[in-house]
Amino acid sequence: MTDDSAPNDDEVPTVSCTRCDREWTLDTEFADLGPGSHAIEQFALDHERHTGHFPDDVTPWIVQCQRCPDGDQFLSERPARRWAATHARHTRHAVRLEGPAGVDDVVSDDDDETHA
């Protein structure tokens, strides 16, 4: 690997967290994982896992079963809806989806047209 393959400072993402009073340049993560690797998303998930909160400007999609304690958080809508649909299909429990922009929805087994 040559220096030419390293991203410019303008291309390296920076993540900040006012609660931690820190800022991180993701040059190492970006170099190790490469473009298209979701380095920022992975850093945000790791940050939440270690601190209990997300960095600034990161608001997850929250999926929560309305009947059992299962639930999770996702950084994009597609995997959140997939988790909700799968849980609803397998358990026949309704799952509440809360999006970062105030999107609220409930996914249930009845929403699956292919269920017999």
Side-chain angles (χ1 to χ4, degrees):
M1 181 184 264
T2 66
D3 289 339
D4 295 341
S5 64
N8 297 331
D9 287 342
D10 294 340
E11 296 174 5
V12 177
T14 301
V15 177
S16 62
C17 180
T18 53
R19 289 178 74 178
C20 294
D21 194 27
R22 294 214 33 212
E23 185 174 88
W24 299 269
T25 302
L26 303 184
D27 51 353
T28 303
E29 291 85 349
F30 200 74
D32 288 347
L33 299 174
S37 65
H38 305 282
I40 297 171
E41 290 89 346
Q42 189 58 55
F43 182 88
L45 290 168
D46 289 344
H47 185 78
E48 192 278 332
R49 200 172 292 120
H50 292 288
T51 65
H53 62 269
F54 284 98
D56 297 346
D57 301 325
V58 176
T59 305
W61 283 80
I62 299 169
V63 290
Q64 185 63 51
C65 180
Q66 294 185 317
R67 190 164 167 197
C68 71
D70 282 349
D72 211 338
Q73 299 180 75
F74 299 89
L75 296 182
S76 60
E77 181 178 6
R78 186 174 178 202
R81 286 196 180 277
R82 183 174 51 240
W83 189 98
T86 301
H87 185 78
R89 184 173 56 251
H90 288 281
T91 62
R92 296 188 176 164
H93 296 171
V95 178
R96 182 178 177 84
L97 235 80
E98 297 177 36
V103 175
D104 285 331
D105 196 5
V106 174
V107 176
S108 67
D109 188 44
D110 297 335
D111 295 339
D112 185 2
E113 296 173 11
T114 63
H115 182 69

